[in-house]
Amino acid sequence: MSASGVAVLLSWLSCCGSALWRYYSNSPNYDIFSTRSIIKLEYEGTLFSEWSAPATCSIKNKRLPKTELRCSSPGMHAIKPIVSGPDLEEERYLSVDNSHICFLWYYKTISLVHNLTQIVVLWIYDPENADPSELLWNANEPSLNSIILSKQLAALGQMPFIYTILKRKVYFPQERIKDGKWYVSIPMTTRDVLKEVRGNQVAFQDCFIANSLFLLTFPLLTIPEIPGFLPISSPRGSQLIANWAACVPSFVVVVADMETFQTNDSFHTWTRIRVPPNILTEDERHNVSDVTLSRDGIFFLINGILYLKNYNTFTRLGSNANLPDGGIIGITSRKWCWINYLLKDKERRSNMAIWTENEVYLGYAHLKFVKIVTTEKLKGLLHMSPTATLTIHNVEYTGHPLELALLLNYCIICNTSKTIYLVIHNEDTVQWVFQDFALNVSIDTFLIPYFLYSAMPELLLWDKHRIYYYYHNFTDTGVLQTTTEFGNLSRLSQNSIIHNVLMDYYGNIVVKMENNVMFYFKIKIKDAIKLHLWTNSTVKSLISFKPSGNMYLIYVFENGEIYPEEYPLQLEAQSITFKTKEKCPYMAFHNDIFHFSYLLDKGQNLSLWAQIVYPENIGLYIVVESYGPKILEIKDQIQYEIALGHCSKTTTITFSQNINYEAVDDYFKLQYENTGLLLVHVRPSELAKTCPISQKVFQISVGCDASKFIAVKGFTKKECLQHDFFYIIEQSYLRDRPSKPLRVKYNWDKYGCPLKVDFREKFHPLVQLYNDNGYVEDVEVNFIVWEIHGRDDYSFNNTMKKSGCLNEAQTWNSMIELNKHLPLEEVWGPENYKHCFSYAIGKPGDLTQPYEIINKSNHNHLVWPLDHSGMYVFRVKILDPNYSFCNLTTIFAIETFGVIPSPNAYMVAAFLFLLMLLFFSTLILSYFHYMRIYKKHIYEPLHKSKRKKKKN
């Protein structure tokens, strides 16, 4: 909805509220707020006289409550309405920039489900000269101005592309600009959803185009409205309840006191969620106390019972889903998005938590629910008195991708007070860790937890009136302070109570009261400022995320309509801090941390740097905090520079591994102990509310990269006839020497195309490492091969002595003898590999045996038998224990040819017998034939007289 449309509705509902004023910009998220921008001013109230602005700003009509403002010079400009009466309106200091960014990218997507691709249509638009449909972000075609602008910039060399933030892939347009639009085709994905439209650095009239960050995933469908279904809502007069998918923040559900709404595009479009009649009573339908959104649908908590509304059904969940049939007091889902994370013991992590006073359940995909703990079990784990009362106060996911926190009520005589304790559960290791946290409160106090986006567990707790902060792993605690009233936010907001708290990924935190008064502070900051009033107290609202990471407001009106509105948090905070003269202690904070997640395999290190620039004599530095298992060595190196009264400190942080996995007693145990997930937080040592982006939180996983795989160079699935077939292996060619030949099916899908090799040619397999992005490197380390069907009629050209062995090397025969209880593919591997290049390892033996270990540089080749051809299907396994946490294997097939088969003795004898028989038979037949001719010529004259008979 447009800014003016929201303003009309807000004005319509402002009869009983206080006066206020706002401003709007044509650019989304107030991205362009410069001397070129038109700033729309709007006063909401009845006492307006005129607008007041400095001389460097011009007002179109200062006596209208709705007008336009332009400022010709950059800087902070004091703007306020002048009203009649004794009260004065708030004065805002608007920060107007002198930016050369004038244009923006407009994008729309077309989903092609049949081939799992999405077409992103792009064009350039000028927010100050755009069509209304482009400003409302519902245009299907570019306006005439946008077509001309796009073509002009294309002629100057502009060419957009889409860059994916997580996997760093780049997608270019399929063709040149057409009708003022570019078309970019990208594959649908759920793992690489954060994308950015970028372009060449091309200027038109000294104006550039801003990059546009957006989120694109598989199309997420909202539940359709069905005629005859009934509304489902929270109790009358209650505040809005909302939940959104952590990794798709545009996918939101909002429960109001008259309807429930759902959207997949941050409420540009939305539907109402309604339920079938005759399932819930009238009171139950209007008594939703909590809601959670997941891929399985929308979960509603009503009177202690969990219900699921999905695309087709509305179902009550209880014992049929391994959940309680009643008594549920809360549900929650994850607040922070971690797309990549390492699991050591479990196959998946939960997406929601459900709890009663005495039990906690975790919910997984496909409606699987598991009870993980009871308060009786927790008493034993925490060594509490069995006579004490222990109940679950609240449950919340932490900032860690695998952890869940429980707030526990503890009391002996539960009359006036209780103590709240905190315990954290790791889903992967299934460990419960009791935290150094204890808070004494009155017996009827209810606290809501909110874990911050940080490495160490950092927590905000709030009751109705105050915010409690717990920073730096609960070691830095206190009550969030304000300029007056000692942190009691209710007294600063006309006795309203706290509605919700929201933090973004950049460290900004907003506290919203029920009457729409808002407070602002940043992570690690211990005091808050009251923001200018933006929304009338009569309107029910909620703060939420946009896919770009910016906050926006959701309004629900009494007529059953819902509207989103962008909120200029940074501009509003700058206005307040300009009056308080608060300044950021540093001037710049730079780093090369471009990813949210890093994955290290064996032998890999990670080096990052961060730099802070600050005025001389302040003494700032870079803080590096880590949370997780001690599996990496962390070293830092600091470089210091000073010039012209400014200092810069550059910290280079190196994360490294130094574990040797070769010839250890328990290879798999050592691997397990040295894999895991580490969260790292890099930030300046001092912060302020005026500082720009001031933190970087990322995870380092040490373990197997599931996207890695190996392949033997030269083998494909495209260069042969794609079909399965059968062949026979003689029993004498098999390792176990069975009593009869083996009939084998060649599975083309598994084995690919066999490589045809002349039997006189030796073959050296070149193993290559790949991942999702393609080729990585040639594998230099040791590997082994074996024929998967049991053939052993091949050998190796290198001997142990030629390879440099000092003791007898491991061979397939020796490893099979040592591990008779294991299948062939498990008898030899990195877990039991020992080299032969030391007298201290192994034992003396026959060094003329073939050396059965191959690497890229040892020139060891496979040698084929000279008396027969055959089909060989080999499996490769990386043998070096220090190469990878993954069990890297692959398959390749070789068919030898060129051997003239040796004749069979029985066949030769039979052939000779037949030949001799044919010879003697021919000889005998010819004898009798010539004897008959001879006899005929002896007993008969050679010439008979010819008599002619004449007839008379």
Side-chain angles (χ1 to χ4, degrees):
M1 184 181 181
S2 66
S4 59
V6 173
V8 169
L9 286 168
L10 290 175
S11 299
W12 176 58
L13 293 170
S14 65
C15 62
C16 303
S18 60
L20 54 89
W21 70 278
R22 291 175 293 270
Y23 55 93
Y24 302 99
S25 169
N26 286 330
S27 64
N29 305 315
Y30 297 79
D31 288 337
I32 302 176
F33 204 79
S34 66
T35 54
R36 191 177 179 273
S37 303
I38 297 175
I39 303 170
K40 298 177 181 179
L41 303 177
E42 176 185 277
Y43 178 81
E44 183 180 308
T46 59
L47 303 176
F48 177 80
S49 294
E50 64 179 28
W51 292 98
S52 172
T56 53
C57 297
S58 61
I59 301 176
K60 189 174 184 180
N61 189 336
K62 67 179 182 178
R63 295 191 178 277
L64 290 179
K66 296 179 183 178
T67 188
E68 294 179 357
L69 171 74
R70 279 183 182 268
C71 294
S72 58
S73 62
M76 303 296 291
H77 300 285
I79 311 294
K80 71 174 182 177
I82 299 174
V83 297
S84 59
D87 296 330
L88 298 177
E89 285 297 332
E90 287 185 298
E91 183 178 55
R92 281 184 169 94
Y93 291 87
L94 299 185
S95 176
V96 178
D97 194 12
N98 187 22
S99 172
H100 287 280
I101 300 294
C102 310
F103 310 134
L104 298 172
W105 291 105
Y106 190 99
Y107 53 87
K108 56 172 292 188
T109 60
I110 303 170
S111 298
L112 305 177
V113 182
H114 68 281
N115 61 0
L116 298 180
T117 60
Q118 289 168 310
I119 305 297
V120 181
V121 185
L122 299 169
W123 67 81
I124 304 165
Y125 77 105
D126 179 359
E128 305 304 328
N129 297 285
D131 190 80
S133 62
E134 291 175 320
L135 296 179
L136 294 175
W137 213 257
N138 56 15
N140 293 318
E141 296 292 333
S143 64
L144 179 60
N145 286 338
S146 298
I147 292 175
I148 295 172
L149 182 62
S150 299
K151 289 183 176 180
Q152 182 66 43
L153 281 162
L156 294 172
Q158 184 57 261
M159 175 68 74
F161 59 91
I162 293 178
Y163 176 80
T164 66
I165 302 298
L166 300 179
K167 293 191 176 181
R168 295 185 295 175
K169 294 184 178 180
V170 178
Y171 300 93
F172 291 95
Q174 300 168 336
E175 55 187 16
R176 292 177 177 270
I177 188 171
K178 182 178 181 183
D179 299 327
K181 296 174 288 187
W182 290 273
Y183 297 85
V184 182
S185 177
I186 56 178
M188 292 183 183
T189 178
T190 58
R191 312 290 294 182
D192 198 14
V193 298
L194 197 59
K195 300 174 174 66
E196 188 174 50
V197 183
R198 298 180 178 179
N200 300 330
Q201 292 298 317
V202 176
F204 177 65
Q205 296 180 352
D206 292 330
C207 283
F208 292 89
I209 311 169
N211 296 338
S212 295
L213 189 69
F214 68 105
L215 188 145
L216 188 61
T217 181
F218 272 88
L220 297 173
L221 301 178
T222 57
I223 299 173
E225 297 182 30
I226 300 177
F229 280 22
L230 303 175
I232 184 170
S233 68
S234 57
R236 191 66 182 171
S238 59
Q239 292 293 312
L240 301 183
I241 307 169
N243 189 259
W244 53 85
C247 293
V248 190
S250 59
F251 197 50
V252 191
V253 59
V254 172
V255 180
D257 60 358
M258 85 293 290
E259 290 278 2
T260 296
F261 308 90
Q262 186 186 11
T263 181
N264 57 9
D265 56 6
S266 300
F267 288 103
H268 281 99
T269 61
W270 48 271
T271 59
R272 292 180 177 89
I273 301 299
R274 298 194 168 187
V275 297
N278 305 322
I279 294 181
L280 299 175
T281 65
E282 182 75 11
D283 291 339
E284 288 173 334
R285 281 195 301 106
H286 299 294
N287 201 28
V288 175
S289 58
D290 210 344
V291 67
T292 290
L293 186 64
S294 81
R295 293 187 179 274
D296 291 317
I298 303 172
F299 294 90
F300 294 98
L301 182 59
I302 303 173
N303 294 342
I305 300 171
L306 197 62
Y307 294 85
L308 172 65
K309 171 65 178 172
N310 57 25
Y311 204 79
N312 300 312
T313 61
F314 181 71
T315 310
R316 174 175 173 167
L317 301 177
S319 55
N320 59 332
N322 196 33
L323 285 173
D325 290 314
I328 297 174
I329 60 175
I331 56 176
T332 189
S333 60
R334 297 186 183 275
K335 299 296 186 294
W336 302 110
C337 176
W338 293 103
I339 293 178
N340 300 312
Y341 48 87
L342 180 70
L343 290 169
K344 293 171 60 175
D345 296 321
K346 298 292 184 68
E347 295 182 357
R348 56 182 178 172
R349 65 171 187 169
S350 65
N351 51 36
M352 66 180 296
I354 307 103
W355 67 95
T356 66
E357 281 194 348
N358 301 298
E359 297 174 331
V360 179
Y361 297 78
L362 293 183
Y364 300 85
H366 310 299
L367 299 181
K368 180 182 178 181
F369 299 94
V370 177
K371 181 166 66 174
I372 60 168
V373 78
T374 64
T375 51
E376 288 300 317
K377 182 179 179 181
L378 285 172
K379 281 185 183 180
L381 292 172
L382 304 179
H383 308 291
M384 291 182 173
S385 170
T387 60
T389 300
L390 185 70
T391 59
I392 296 168
H393 182 87
N394 216 324
V395 177
E396 187 58 270
Y397 286 99
T398 72
H400 193 284
L402 302 175
E403 290 187 349
L404 178 78
L406 275 62
L407 290 177
L408 305 174
N409 296 318
Y410 177 83
C411 55
I412 303 294
I413 302 174
C414 305
N415 294 330
T416 58
S417 64
K418 61 184 177 182
T419 302
I420 294 181
Y421 292 114
L422 179 67
V423 61
I424 290 181
H425 170 66
N426 188 293
E427 289 189 47
D428 192 33
T429 61
V430 200
Q431 291 181 335
W432 294 90
V433 180
F434 188 66
Q435 303 297 315
D436 185 13
F437 178 98
L439 182 62
N440 295 316
V441 296
S442 61
I443 196 69
D444 58 347
T445 297
F446 182 73
L447 297 174
I448 300 173
Y450 191 96
F451 279 87
L452 304 180
Y453 184 63
S454 60
M456 291 187 174
E458 296 188 311
L459 171 68
L460 295 180
L461 281 176
W462 67 89
D463 53 22
K464 292 181 179 181
H465 314 294
R466 287 181 171 85
I467 302 282
Y468 304 87
Y469 61 83
Y470 293 84
Y471 295 148
H472 201 72
N473 203 12
F474 313 113
T475 59
D476 187 4
T477 68
V479 176
L480 187 70
Q481 293 299 306
T482 53
T483 53
T484 60
E485 304 300 342
F486 305 102
N488 191 319
L489 303 184
S490 294
R491 293 178 184 174
L492 294 173
S493 54
Q494 295 81 48
N495 294 319
S496 183
I497 62 175
I498 299 173
H499 177 205
N500 74 323
V501 178
L502 187 67
M503 175 185 172
D504 65 14
Y505 288 91
Y506 310 116
N508 301 302
I509 305 173
V510 175
V511 181
K512 193 193 88 65
M513 312 299 286
E514 288 189 352
N515 66 350
N516 296 323
V517 173
M518 291 189 285
F519 298 87
Y520 169 76
F521 64 106
K522 278 181 173 282
I523 187 172
K524 304 288 186 179
I525 301 297
K526 302 175 183 180
D527 63 286
I529 55 175
K530 183 180 178 180
L531 295 172
H532 298 296
L533 190 60
W534 185 269
T535 304
N536 202 289
S537 60
T538 60
V539 180
K540 290 185 177 178
S541 69
L542 190 80
I543 48 176
S544 184
F545 280 127
K546 295 193 75 173
S548 60
N550 296 287
M551 293 184 185
Y552 73 107
L553 293 166
I554 301 170
Y555 299 118
V556 176
F557 300 102
E558 291 295 334
N559 61 355
E561 296 292 318
I562 186 168
Y563 295 101
E565 183 185 54
E566 293 166 352
Y567 179 66
L569 176 61
Q570 292 304 318
L571 291 173
E572 291 291 274
Q574 286 176 11
S575 176
I576 298 293
T577 55
F578 181 79
K579 289 190 290 186
T580 61
K581 307 299 182 183
E582 183 177 352
K583 292 185 178 181
C584 183
Y586 58 88
M587 303 172 65
F589 175 65
H590 302 293
N591 57 76
D592 71 338
I593 305 169
F594 301 122
H595 300 283
F596 302 107
S597 177
Y598 296 88
L599 181 55
L600 301 183
D601 209 335
K602 290 178 181 176
Q604 293 181 338
N605 300 328
L606 175 66
S607 290
L608 303 166
W609 62 263
Q611 182 186 66
I612 187 171
V613 181
Y614 56 92
E616 192 177 0
N617 299 324
I618 293 184
L620 301 184
Y621 54 93
I622 301 293
V623 176
V624 180
E625 299 171 332
S626 63
Y627 175 74
K630 305 300 181 183
I631 53 178
L632 291 173
E633 285 190 359
I634 304 177
K635 296 180 179 179
D636 58 4
Q637 183 179 2
I638 300 175
Q639 293 180 340
Y640 179 81
E641 294 180 7
I642 183 170
L644 301 175
H646 294 89
C647 303
S648 71
K649 283 183 181 177
T650 303
T651 302
T652 302
I653 314 131
T654 302
F655 302 88
S656 60
Q657 310 171 67
N658 61 356
I659 305 298
N660 183 8
Y661 295 91
E662 186 173 342
V664 297
D665 293 334
D666 194 331
Y667 172 82
F668 294 110
K669 181 182 178 182
L670 187 63
Q671 275 200 148
Y672 183 87
E673 292 173 347
N674 288 280
T675 56
L677 189 150
L678 187 72
L679 286 185
V680 182
H681 191 167
V682 179
R683 61 175 178 84
S685 58
E686 293 184 19
L687 301 171
K689 294 182 282 293
T690 54
C691 293
I693 298 173
S694 58
Q695 65 168 8
K696 279 290 185 177
V697 179
F698 59 96
Q699 60 168 300
I700 303 176
S701 299
V702 180
C704 174
D705 182 355
S707 68
K708 280 186 176 181
F709 63 95
I710 58 172
V712 178
K713 185 178 180 180
F715 291 83
T716 69
K717 289 188 176 182
K718 299 179 180 178
E719 298 178 357
C720 62
L721 181 62
Q722 302 177 7
H723 71 289
D724 295 349
F725 56 88
F726 292 89
Y727 62 95
I728 302 296
I729 302 176
E730 294 293 333
Q731 59 266 41
S732 60
Y733 305 154
L734 295 171
R735 190 182 301 274
D736 297 333
R737 301 297 187 266
S739 59
K740 57 182 181 179
L742 178 65
R743 186 171 184 261
V744 175
K745 179 182 178 180
Y746 188 91
N747 190 323
W748 181 87
D749 285 332
K750 290 183 179 180
Y751 309 151
C753 297
L755 180 68
K756 294 183 180 294
V757 176
D758 190 283
F759 77 102
R760 291 163 295 188
E761 294 180 5
K762 297 177 291 185
F763 180 75
H764 180 84
L766 177 60
V767 181
Q768 297 178 323
L769 181 68
Y770 293 83
N771 60 19
D772 287 344
N773 296 321
Y775 169 82
V776 177
E777 63 181 8
D778 290 347
V779 176
E780 306 274 353
V781 300
N782 291 340
F783 60 89
I784 52 175
V785 300
W786 71 96
E787 213 284 332
I788 65 173
H789 298 118
R791 297 188 75 140
D792 64 351
D793 56 331
Y794 60 91
S795 187
F796 301 84
N797 69 313
N798 279 2
T799 64
M800 297 178 188
K801 183 177 182 179
K802 184 179 178 181
S803 298
C805 289
L806 301 177
N807 277 329
E808 184 176 330
Q810 293 173 323
T811 64
W812 277 107
N813 289 335
S814 65
M815 298 308 292
I816 291 172
E817 185 66 24
L818 290 173
N819 301 281
K820 293 180 179 179
H821 60 289
L822 295 176
L824 182 64
E825 60 270 15
E826 296 180 15
V827 300
W828 196 6
E831 66 274 11
N832 55 16
Y833 167 69
K834 295 179 181 179
H835 67 78
C836 61
F837 306 111
S838 171
Y839 288 114
I841 300 175
K843 59 182 180 179
D846 182 8
L847 301 187
T848 62
Q849 299 178 71
Y851 184 65
E852 299 183 357
I853 299 172
I854 308 174
N855 60 45
K856 182 181 178 181
S857 58
N858 69 355
H859 305 291
N860 200 10
H861 294 70
L862 291 168
V863 179
W864 315 111
L866 301 177
D867 58 346
H868 63 272
S869 300
M871 177 71 74
Y872 299 83
V873 181
F874 289 101
R875 183 176 293 278
V876 178
K877 180 192 285 189
I878 300 298
L879 190 62
D880 192 320
N882 290 311
Y883 185 69
S884 177
F885 290 103
C886 304
N887 182 27
L888 295 173
T889 67
T890 189
I891 286 180
F892 68 96
I894 287 181
E895 182 181 6
T896 60
F897 69 93
V899 176
I900 300 175
S902 300
N904 186 287
Y906 296 104
M907 292 293 293
V908 171
F911 177 76
L912 290 175
F913 174 77
L914 291 174
L915 187 63
M916 295 298 295
L917 181 63
L918 179 63
F919 173 77
F920 284 111
S921 298
T922 304
L923 187 63
I924 293 171
L925 289 174
S926 62
Y927 169 77
F928 285 108
H929 176 70
Y930 284 104
M931 283 297 296
R932 185 168 60 83
I933 295 174
Y934 179 73
K935 289 179 180 179
K936 179 179 179 181
H937 286 290
I938 289 179
Y939 296 106
E940 296 180 5
L942 293 174
H943 302 285
K944 292 183 178 181
S945 59
K946 296 180 180 179
R947 297 177 180 179
K948 297 182 179 179
K949 295 182 179 180
K950 296 181 180 179
K951 293 183 180 179
N952 295 329

